[in-house]
């Protein structure tokens, strides 16, 4: 049981990976501007866990962070800018006269839906595939609408734990401890189960060989 390949060794090894990845994500996200790259690196590692059963936290996290830094940071800034525009649009809607206010409300909500879908899927998509930014954004939207049950599950897994953490003041210290130890990684790992289901068909040997010959298609990073 306590042997190198025993049950307890595997359990504690897995927990060690989760804690290490969580700490890496927190440290690399602190500068804020690097949040896109660190989130991409975290999803790279959690997707790799689903694919291979394990990952090398420091090696794999740094590999993805370094390789995807420019694209992830550009995408993060684009999402931040888009979110800021939507926020200020919502702030100005009440000052609009009559029916114009209602019309603009529907327009802004219509913009929010694809923006929200892309925001949920873009960093896992970037973690798994290499392509130009505009194609990655399109692919992220495609994956999000490909299975609506998956997008609902991903949204609930991503939002609900943080919501309960913020509204439950009595247990907030306990929740905070969990978040600091492994909460972010657990969320990413749970989301990655659905992402890997979507991405897995594109990782067959035939697709990988075809992608290597055709520079116009995605290149798979695993």
């Amino acid at each position: 049981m306590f042997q190198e390949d025993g049950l307890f060794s595997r359990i504690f090894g897995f927990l060690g990976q989760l804690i290490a990845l969580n700490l890496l994500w927190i440290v690399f996200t602190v500068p804020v501007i690097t949040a896109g790259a660190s989130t991409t690196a975290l999803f790279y590692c959690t997707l790799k866990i689903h694919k291979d059963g394990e990952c090398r936290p420091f090696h794999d996290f740094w590999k993805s962070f370094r390789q995807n830094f420019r694209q992830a940071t550009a995408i993060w800034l684009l999402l931040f800018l888009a979110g800021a525009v939507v926020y200020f649009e919502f702030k100005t809607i009440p000052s609009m006269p009559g029916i114009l206010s209602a019309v603009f409300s529907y327009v802004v909500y219509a913009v929010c839906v694809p923006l929200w879908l892309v925001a949920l899927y873009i960093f896992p998509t970037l973690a798994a595939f290499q392509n130009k930014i505009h194609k990655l954004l399109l692919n992220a939207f495609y994956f999000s609408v490909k299975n609506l049950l998956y997008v609902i599950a991903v949204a609930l897994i991503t939002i609900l734990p943080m919501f309960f953490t913020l509204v439950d003041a009595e247990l907030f210290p306990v929740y905070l401890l969990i978040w600091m130890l492994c909460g972010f990684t657990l969320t990413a790992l749970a989301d990655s189960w659905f992402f890997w289901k979507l991405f897995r068909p594109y990782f067959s040997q035939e697709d990988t060989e075809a992608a290597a010959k055709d520079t116009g298609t995605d290149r798979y990073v695993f």
Side-chain angles (χ1 to χ4, degrees):
M1 185 174 292
F2 291 98
Q3 296 176 352
E4 185 176 348
D5 59 345
L7 177 62
F8 281 101
S9 295
R10 293 198 299 270
I11 291 175
F12 285 114
F14 180 69
L15 288 176
Q17 290 181 9
L18 297 186
I19 293 173
L21 288 173
N22 205 73
L23 294 176
L24 284 169
W25 183 84
I26 292 173
V27 170
F28 280 81
T29 302
V30 167
V32 180
I33 196 172
T34 59
S38 62
T39 302
T40 301
L42 178 62
F43 276 113
Y44 176 85
C45 292
T46 54
L47 285 167
K48 195 171 181 63
I49 289 174
H50 283 293
K51 179 178 181 290
D52 300 331
E54 62 179 358
C55 75
R56 294 177 291 175
F58 298 100
H59 175 273
D60 293 332
F61 188 97
W62 175 246
K63 173 186 175 182
S64 178
F65 184 90
R66 177 171 47 84
Q67 290 181 347
N68 296 306
F69 179 80
R70 290 184 179 180
Q71 285 188 317
T73 303
I75 292 170
W76 169 247
L77 293 176
L78 285 173
L79 291 176
F80 181 83
L81 179 61
V85 170
V86 169
Y87 172 78
F88 286 115
E89 286 295 330
F90 272 119
K91 297 288 286 186
T92 58
I93 285 175
S95 63
M96 295 180 180
I99 193 172
L100 194 61
S101 175
V103 172
F104 267 86
S105 296
Y106 289 121
V107 171
V108 174
Y109 279 118
V111 171
C112 283
V113 172
L115 179 62
W116 174 70
L117 293 175
V118 169
L120 279 177
Y121 277 71
I122 185 58
F123 295 116
T125 302
L126 176 59
F129 303 100
Q130 292 181 353
N131 213 320
K132 296 179 180 179
I133 289 179
H134 71 280
K135 289 186 177 181
L136 289 168
L137 293 171
L138 290 174
N139 289 343
F141 182 74
Y142 165 75
F143 283 125
S144 69
V145 299
K146 186 176 182 180
N147 192 314
L148 295 181
L149 291 179
Y150 280 14
V151 76
I152 293 172
V154 168
L156 291 177
I157 292 170
T158 304
I159 296 171
L160 283 184
M162 186 59 70
F163 172 78
F164 287 118
T165 299
L166 295 176
V167 300
D168 192 344
E170 184 177 349
L171 293 177
F172 179 79
V174 177
Y175 293 140
L176 182 61
L177 178 62
I178 295 174
W179 283 112
M180 295 299 292
L181 283 177
C182 60
F184 297 106
T185 306
L186 283 174
T187 301
L189 187 66
D191 285 342
S192 293
W193 187 89
F194 298 97
F195 295 139
W196 178 239
K197 289 284 188 180
L198 291 170
F199 298 161
R200 187 172 183 175
Y202 300 91
F203 281 76
S204 68
Q205 184 64 33
E206 291 181 0
D207 289 336
T208 303
E209 291 174 356
K213 297 177 182 178
D214 185 358
T215 56
T217 59
D218 290 335
R219 290 176 293 157
Y220 311 115
V221 299
F222 288 101

